[in-house]
Amino acid sequence: MPRERPLRTLAVRVLPLAAGIFIVLAALRLSLDALDLDHTTFGFYASATAGGLAAALLLSWTGRAFAKAAGERRRVAEELDRIFTLSPGMLCIVGFDGFFKRVNPAFTQTLGYTAEELRSKHFVHFVYPADRARTMEVAERLVAEGQPISFENRYVCKDGSPCWIHWTATPVPREQLIYGAARDVTERKESEATIRELNERLQERVSELEALTKELEGFNRSASHDLRTPLTAVQGFVTILRKDYVHFLPDEGRRYLEIVSESADQMARLLEGLLTLARVGGRSLERKPVETKALVADALSQLSVDREKAAVELSVGELPQCNADPTLLRQVFVNLLSNALKYSRDRKPPRIEVGSYENGRPVWFVSDNGVGFRMDQADRLFRAFHRLDGGKEFEGTGVGLALVKQIVHRHGGRVWAESQEGEGATFYFTLGEEG
Amino acid sequence: MSQPGGETAILLVEDNEAHIELALYAFRKHDLAVRVARDGEEALQFLCDEGESLPSLVLLDLNLPGIDGLEVLRRIKADWRTRSVPVIVLTASEDDQDRMESFQLGASSYIVKPVDLDKFIEATRVYDRYWRSAPSDSENGSTPS
């Protein structure tokens, strides 16, 4: 909006007018000389008339200019007033004396007080008691430094409830006033408090779970030790019976003894599995840079006998370096590879592929052309002691993949498998953000 | 419980009756004299008994009632009269800490149960024979330095 300048308007109008009057007077003077009238009298009246006319015109124009400027000012004030009133944000003007000079309806509606109530007391009266000292400090800084400040504090609403307010305050020392724009952030603050509380509860639950896991691992450990003692005795006596007393037993008795022997051995393997899981769970993770390719070669050499027996076609692709616990990662590859060997040994020829690809971070995989599994059973693969074939066709304790999962999870990674029954299986894993 | 008198016996420190029975069967079969102590206190008492000759070997379980196996081992190796007796730890514990501590305390070997009895007996024979062929420091009347 162009700024009104009444004096300039006046000057612009007066100058041509004055020039006009002089031109008219000069013309009259020349004409009158020709008519030979009384110069002085006529000149006086003519000047007076012209002057009066000019003054009247000027007064009229100036009055109109001033009236227009005042109207413009009123219009601007009304506009500001309307904005102030209609603003959904809380607006206020506070004097350096600490009293509200003006508050908008959003302000009164949020806090529940009338404008008169707010104006009648020092503003700190409405601030939440615990936040008063801090708020006064901010107010003093505002007055002293004269710079805009943003801050948050709580007010007490008329119904007694606390209300979080985010302020942007600008002091104007010349006017001894502080202009404040504010908004109610109670919901955000409550959400933050709820999130914080939930986080704390989550942390507590995590701690509880960690303690529980430790306890379970401890239990696993001691239970498997305690169970092993009587089992060792059973196995020992079964050995004695089979070696030294078997000829006293009838065929049926020998068969039963074999069943006892096999069952005891199976139980020993299960206990061994339990102990292995407990050992890995209790072991601290020692991450270091690992050449995965060398690690896989090492794991393969451990399985070389089985590999040669089955005449496997093996392919090892590019494997990137990673950051992991080498002993545990080696165990992952040993378990995945021995799994692949076991379930593909009847294929002609068995094929195993070890490789990796990049998907934001490296994903390693071990795939085979073995018996595979149904995808609806995929999540059961990694459960300890769970055998999809029921343990009838393929030997093992059902600990291998559980161990893989435990190790990968301890690295912060993820393990999953894809397959089609009869079409082989692929096991994938990642090693978390640090991997 | 003592076996054929007069001979230097192997001392088995074990509290589980089934395991004792198993060991006795195996040792009897291989004609080795065995003496059994069912807790650490009994074992230490036997070892320090002036009237008894020292065993050729101690087979020590770690999980014992009362004084535990590692403490028994520590005391055997701390006493100049008994420190020369080889001690084989025979335990169900695969704990690395137990294994390390056992060797630090002076165990000659650490065997995790279950064991192949015949192989185990053969191993103990080696110690037994060694003991018989080389009289111990205590038998020679030497004193600790």
Side-chain angles (χ1 to χ4, degrees), chain A residues 182-198:
Chain A
R183 63 176 195 276
D184 179 0
V185 291
T186 311
E187 257 179 51
R188 194 197 79 204
K189 282 281 182 184
E190 279 173 357
S191 306
E192 281 172 5
T194 311
I195 289 168
R196 210 166 31 244
E197 198 184 317
L198 283 173

Side-chain angles (χ1 to χ4, degrees), chain A residues 221 225 228-229 240 243-244, chain B residues 19 22 25 29 92 95 118:
Chain A
R221 215 172 162 71
H225 275 143
R228 212 146 76 148
T229 304
I240 291 173
K243 274 189 178 168
D244 300 340
Chain B
H19 285 202
L22 264 177
Y25 177 85
K29 200 172 147 194
D95 197 309
D118 289 334

Side-chain angles (χ1 to χ4, degrees), chain A residues 368 370-375 378 381 417-428:
Chain A
D368 62 65
V371 294
F373 55 87
R374 292 206 322 266
M375 276 310 280
L381 283 171
E418 285 169 8
S419 174
Q420 266 186 323
E421 212 168 15
E423 301 284 315
T426 306
F427 287 80
Y428 304 87

Side-chain angles (χ1 to χ4, degrees), chain A residues 281-292:
Chain A
R283 192 177 181 281
S284 59
L285 204 66
E286 287 166 18
R287 278 187 190 262
K288 54 174 87 163
V290 178
E291 291 295 340
T292 324

Side-chain angles (χ1 to χ4, degrees), chain A residues 6 47 58 73 92 107 109 121 123 130 151 180 186 198-199 266 278-279 329 346 350-351 382 384 392 405:
Chain A
S47 300
L58 280 176
R73 272 201 302 276
C92 69
F107 202 102
Q109 277 158 20
K121 288 175 181 156
F123 82 89
F151 68 101
T186 311
L198 283 173
N199 268 338
Q266 191 194 352
R279 263 201 297 273
L329 186 60
D346 297 333
R351 272 192 213 99
F382 299 96
K392 293 181 187 77
K405 182 178 160 188

Side-chain angles (χ1 to χ4, degrees), chain A residues 169-349:
Chain A
T170 304
V172 180
R174 187 167 38 88
E175 297 174 6
Q176 295 278 293
L177 292 174
I178 298 168
Y179 291 81
R183 63 176 195 276
D184 179 0
V185 291
T186 311
E187 257 179 51
R188 194 197 79 204
K189 282 281 182 184
E190 279 173 357
S191 306
E192 281 172 5
T194 311
I195 289 168
R196 210 166 31 244
E197 198 184 317
L198 283 173
N199 268 338
E200 277 164 19
R201 278 195 354 229
L202 187 69
Q203 198 49 50
E204 276 170 29
R205 289 288 297 153
V206 168
S207 304
E208 277 173 26
L209 277 174
E210 276 172 357
L212 199 66
T213 310
K214 280 236 170 312
E215 205 175 301
L216 266 176
E217 280 163 4
F219 170 78
N220 247 1
R221 215 172 162 71
S222 63
S224 33
H225 275 143
D226 292 349
L227 291 172
R228 212 146 76 148
T229 304
L231 184 64
T232 307
V234 172
Q235 286 177 300
F237 282 109
V238 165
T239 309
I240 291 173
L241 285 173
R242 285 170 75 186
K243 274 189 178 168
D244 300 340
Y245 294 92
V246 76
H247 52 275
F248 294 117
L249 289 172
D251 285 348
E252 200 171 22
R254 289 180 196 188
R255 200 165 62 79
Y256 292 162
L257 186 60
E258 283 311 308
I259 294 172
V260 172
S261 172
E262 276 166 24
S263 302
D265 288 348
Q266 191 194 352
M267 187 158 175
R269 283 195 298 274
L270 290 173
L271 283 177
E272 189 52 45
L274 259 183
L275 263 176
T276 311
L277 280 174
R279 263 201 297 273
V280 169
R283 192 177 181 281
S284 59
L285 204 66
E286 287 166 18
R287 278 187 190 262
K288 54 174 87 163
V290 178
E291 291 295 340
T292 324
K293 195 141 192 170
L295 196 84
V296 168
D298 192 25
L300 282 168
S301 70
Q302 188 180 327
L303 303 165
S304 59
V305 177
D306 292 338
R307 223 173 75 216
E308 280 161 21
K309 208 157 61 183
V312 178
E313 277 185 14
L314 181 75
S315 99
V316 180
E318 278 307 308
L319 300 171
Q321 198 192 50
C322 66
N323 190 30
D325 185 313
T327 313
L328 294 182
L329 186 60
R330 184 179 180 281
Q331 191 65 51
V332 167
F333 278 111
V334 167
N335 289 13
L336 290 180
L337 286 166
S338 76
N339 218 47
L341 272 171
K342 183 162 68 181
Y343 290 103
S344 65
R345 68 185 169 204
D346 297 333
R347 294 292 190 256
K348 298 274 182 272

Side-chain angles (χ1 to χ4, degrees), chain B residues 70-89:
Chain B
L70 287 172
E71 178 58 22
V72 173
L73 176 58
R74 197 188 62 75
R75 290 196 198 176
I76 290 174
K77 294 297 172 185
D79 191 325
W80 62 271
R81 289 168 300 178
T82 56
R83 67 163 53 151
S84 58
V85 181
V87 178
I88 295 180
V89 172

